[in-house]
Amino acid sequence: MLIEATVKVLFILVVMVVGIAPVITWIERKQSALMQDRIGANRADVGGITVLGLLHPAADVIKLMTKEDVVPEGANRVMHLLSPLIVAVPAISAFAVIPYGGVYRFGDTTLNLVGADIDWGLLYIFAIGSIAAYGTVIAGWSSNNNWSMLGGLRASAQLISYEVTMGLTVVGVFMVFETLRLSDMALAQDTTFRLFGFLDRFFGLDWRWIDQVRVPAWGIFYQPLGFLMFLTAIMAENKRPPFDIPEGESEIIAGYHLEYSGMRFGLFFMSEFIEIIIIAALTATIFLGGWAVPYLSTDTIIGGISRFFDVGFATCLCILIHFSTFMLKVFAMIWVQMLLRWSLPRFRYDQVMSLCWKILLPLSIANIFVTGLVLLWVKG
Amino acid sequence: MTVEAILFYVFGILAVVSALGMVLNIRNTVASAMSLVVTMVSLGAIYLLLEAYLVAVIQIMVYGGAIVVLFLFVVMLLNLSTDEFPPGKQRVAKLAVVIVGVAILAQVLVALGQAPLLVAQPEAVPEGFGGYRQLGLSLYTDYVLLVEMVSLLLLAAIVGALILAKRKID
C-alpha cells in the first residue's frame, strides 16, 4: 500500500513534472520557431554537444535557480512569497487522478495505473483548479504594482467565468458515460460503436454498411461540440495566448507575475506548462479514449499476444502499449495547444468575457439539453 | 491516535485559527479573505475524513473557490483601507455580533450537554450514500419541484442584479 503510493507519487513527480514539463518548453520554442521560419533554441551546449537544443530547459532551470529572488518594496511579503506555491501545488496534484492505463490482472493481484482511483475524479480536478486561481489573484495583489493588480483582477474575473463554463461543457460527457471517475471513462471508450446506428435504430434502415462503419467509442465522437467547448474553456483557464489577458505583455507588461524573479517566477512559468500537460491528459482521457487503442480492445490485445507468449508477458506488453498510446495522445494534444498558441492573436478583454458568457455558456447548456433528449430517445 | 484523528485535529485547529484570523484581521481585508479560504479548505478536508466526498468537493469548489474569489475580486476592486472603517461607528454592530456569538455558543454547549458525545456504533449507510448519483437522483426525482422553484428564484435574482447593475437598459 505504502510502497505503491510512493511509487505513484514518484512517477508523477519524476516523469510528469520534472521529466516532461521542461521538455514542453523546448517543444514550444521549436514549434514557434518552425511557425515563424526560425531555427529556435540551439545554442546551449555541454562541450559542444547541443542535443537539438534540448539542453535549454536545463540551462533555464540553472539560471532561474541562481537568480536573485526580489520582493518589491511595499509588497505584502508573506503573500508574495506564498502565491507561486498556491499556483504550483494544485497544478501538480491534479496528476493524481489521471489514468495512465487501465486495470490489469496478474493472477490474483491487480495493477491499477491510476494514482488515486476516486469516484469523483473529475470534480477533484475542478476543485483543485479553483484553489489554484487564488495564487494568480494574490500574486497580482501582493506585488504592490498597478500593472500586477490589473493582471490579478483580470485573472480573477476570467478564472471564475471560465470555471463555470468548463464544468458545464463536460456535463454532456458525464451523461453519456454515466460516471465522473476518469478511469471508468477511459474504460468505456475501449470499444467501438456504429456511427450511423441511429439510421437502423430509428428509421429501420437495414443497410449492411451501417454495421460496418464503426468508430472508436470516444467522447469526441459522442460530444464533438463538447470537445471544442471544453478545450476552449480549459485553455482559457490556463491563461495562455490567445487568452493571456491577465499577462497581456503589450498592455500590462506581464500582469500578475511582473514583480517575480528567480525560481518564484519559474514556478509560475512551470505551472503553466504543467497545466498544459494536465489539459492534454484530461482531454485525451475524456474525449480521445485515454489509454485505449482504437479498434483494439484490451482483451483483443492480450488475447492476440498470449497466443505466442504467456499471459503475464502479454499483460506487461499490453500495459506498455496502453501507456504509449496514452502518452501519444497527450503529446498530440500538447502539440495542438502549441499550434493554437502560436497561430491566434490575443483576444481583447471584453471579447474573452463575451465568448464565455454569451457563446460558450448558452451553447453548453444547449448541448446538455440535446444530449439529454438523445439519451432519453436511445435508452428510454 | 490514528492517522485520521491526527489529521482531524490538524485541520480542525487550522479551521478555527484561520476563522479567527479572518475576523480579527481588520487591517488587511485581502488577508482576511484568504483566511476564509483556509477555513473553507480545512472544513473540506474534515468532510473528506468523514468520507463525505461529494460534500468535501463542493465545499472546496463552491465555498473555497467560487464564492471567496468573488469576495476577493470586490475587496481588491474597492481597495479598502482602515480609514474607511472609522472605529467609532461600529460599536453597535460589534455589540450585536458579540451577543449573537455568545448566544450561539451557549446553544451549542447546551445541546452538547444534553446529547451524549459518543453514540454507539451508528448504522451502516447504504452503498454510495451521499455520492453524486444518489444526490442527483433524489434532487431530480423526489425534490424536482423544489429544485425548479429554487432555479426560478435564482433566475429572478440574476435578472434583478442585471437591472440594478446596468444603468441604461437598451
Side-chain angles (χ1 to χ4, degrees), chain A residues 76 79 119-120 123 126-127 130-131 134 137-138 141 149 152-153 156-157 160 178-181, chain B residues 28 30-31 34 37 41 48 53-54 57 60-61 64-65 68-70 72-73 76-77 132-133:
Chain A
N76 187 322
M79 297 278 201
D119 195 23
W120 32 282
L123 286 181
F126 290 161
S130 69
I131 293 302
Y134 286 108
V137 180
I138 289 302
W141 173 80
M149 179 76 179
L153 280 176
S156 63
I160 320 170
E178 297 180 358
T179 182
L180 291 179
R181 194 197 290 260
Chain B
N28 189 340
V30 172
M34 286 312 286
V37 178
V41 173
L48 269 187
Y53 300 119
L54 188 69
V57 168
I60 293 174
M61 200 160 47
V68 188
V69 168
L70 277 179
L72 207 60
F73 184 70
M76 279 168 59
L77 209 58
Y132 53 88
R133 283 189 190 83

Side-chain angles (χ1 to χ4, degrees), chain B residues 18-35:
Chain B
S18 53
L20 282 175
M22 189 205 82
V23 182
L24 299 178
N25 197 340
I26 45 169
R27 290 254 176 89
N28 189 340
T29 20
V30 172
S32 163
M34 286 312 286
S35 312

Side-chain angles (χ1 to χ4, degrees), chain A residues 49-371:
Chain A
I49 303 160
T50 57
V51 214
L52 296 169
L54 262 171
L55 293 174
H56 270 262
D60 279 342
V61 171
I62 294 170
K63 185 188 82 176
L64 288 170
M65 290 267 200
T66 49
K67 268 178 122 179
E68 189 192 351
D69 183 18
V70 183
V71 179
E73 185 103 14
N76 187 322
R77 202 181 162 79
V78 179
M79 297 278 201
H80 192 262
L81 297 182
L82 264 180
S83 55
L85 293 177
I86 308 180
V87 174
V89 170
I92 295 171
S93 41
F95 279 114
V97 291
I98 303 284
Y100 304 94
V103 180
Y104 306 94
R105 207 175 290 275
F106 288 99
D108 295 335
T109 53
T110 52
L111 179 67
N112 194 346
L113 290 193
V114 191
D117 196 8
I118 46 183
D119 195 23
W120 32 282
L122 208 49
L123 286 181
Y124 164 82
I125 288 190
F126 290 161
I128 286 284
S130 69
I131 293 302
Y134 286 108
T136 335
V137 180
I138 289 302
W141 173 80
S142 65
S143 297
N144 191 29
N145 177 317
N146 286 341
W147 305 119
S148 299
M149 179 76 179
L150 280 177
L153 280 176
R154 285 179 176 198
S156 63
Q158 180 180 341
L159 294 179
I160 320 170
S161 310
Y162 275 93
E163 227 170 71
V164 176
T165 314
M166 182 176 68
L168 284 175
T169 49
V170 278
V171 172
V173 185
F174 303 164
M175 289 158 79
V176 171
F177 295 129
E178 297 180 358
T179 182
L180 291 179
R181 194 197 290 260
L182 285 168
S183 56
D184 281 356
M185 273 189 199
L187 189 66
Q189 298 176 71
D190 192 21
T191 167
T192 58
F193 78 108
R194 297 183 304 167
L195 188 60
F196 297 100
F198 62 93
L199 288 177
D200 171 25
R201 194 156 186 157
F202 301 117
F203 306 110
L205 297 171
D206 195 17
W207 296 333
R208 184 169 301 159
W209 59 268
I210 291 178
D211 278 340
Q212 278 154 11
V213 181
R214 301 186 77 88
V215 289
W218 290 0
I220 188 171
F221 294 114
Y222 289 117
Q223 293 278 319
L225 186 64
F227 170 71
L228 288 177
M229 291 192 302
F230 178 69
L231 193 61
T232 316
I234 201 167
M235 279 181 72
E237 193 79 350
N238 193 14
K239 316 177 289 292
R240 271 166 58 82
F243 301 102
D244 65 333
I245 52 161
E247 291 171 36
E249 281 96 345
S250 54
E251 303 158 12
I252 49 174
I253 315 177
Y256 63 91
H257 59 55
L258 167 60
E259 293 287 1
Y260 281 88
S261 52
M263 205 51 208
R264 292 193 194 274
F265 164 74
L267 270 181
F268 280 118
F269 190 66
M270 276 287 286
S271 43
E272 238 173 53
F273 281 91
I274 292 167
E275 273 171 46
I276 292 179
I277 312 175
I278 295 281
I279 293 170
L282 262 187
T283 36
T285 309
I286 303 174
F287 291 101
L288 299 178
W291 42 262
V293 188
Y295 301 109
L296 281 175
S297 70
T298 311
D299 293 342
T300 322
I301 294 176
I302 294 181
I305 301 171
S306 58
R307 236 184 268 166
F308 308 105
F309 304 99
D310 70 290
V311 183
F313 182 75
T315 317
C316 285
L317 214 57
C318 182
I319 291 176
L320 207 63
I321 292 172
H322 280 167
F323 183 68
S324 337
T325 315
F326 179 71
M327 291 316 282
L328 195 71
K329 288 171 184 171
V330 168
F331 272 103
M333 282 314 296
I334 289 173
W335 178 68
V336 167
Q337 291 179 63
M338 298 288 168
L339 274 188
L340 290 172
R341 186 245 180 276
W342 289 102
S343 39
L344 296 174
R346 183 190 306 134
F347 285 108
R348 222 170 46 215
Y349 179 71
D350 60 320
Q351 288 170 331
V352 171
M353 282 300 161
S354 51
L355 173 70
C356 176
W357 292 106
K358 293 183 181 165
I359 299 173
L360 287 181
L361 189 72
L363 265 183
S364 58
I365 293 174
N367 188 38
I368 295 171
F369 185 69
V370 172
T371 310

Side-chain angles (χ1 to χ4, degrees), chain B residues 1 9 14-15 20 28 41 46 50 58 71 81 84 93 98 119 148 162-163:
Chain B
M1 261 200 306
Y9 283 113
L14 203 61
L20 282 175
N28 189 340
V41 173
I46 291 175
L50 293 172
I58 288 175
F71 285 176
S81 56
E84 278 156 83
V98 168
V119 188
E148 289 302 320
L162 265 183
I163 288 174

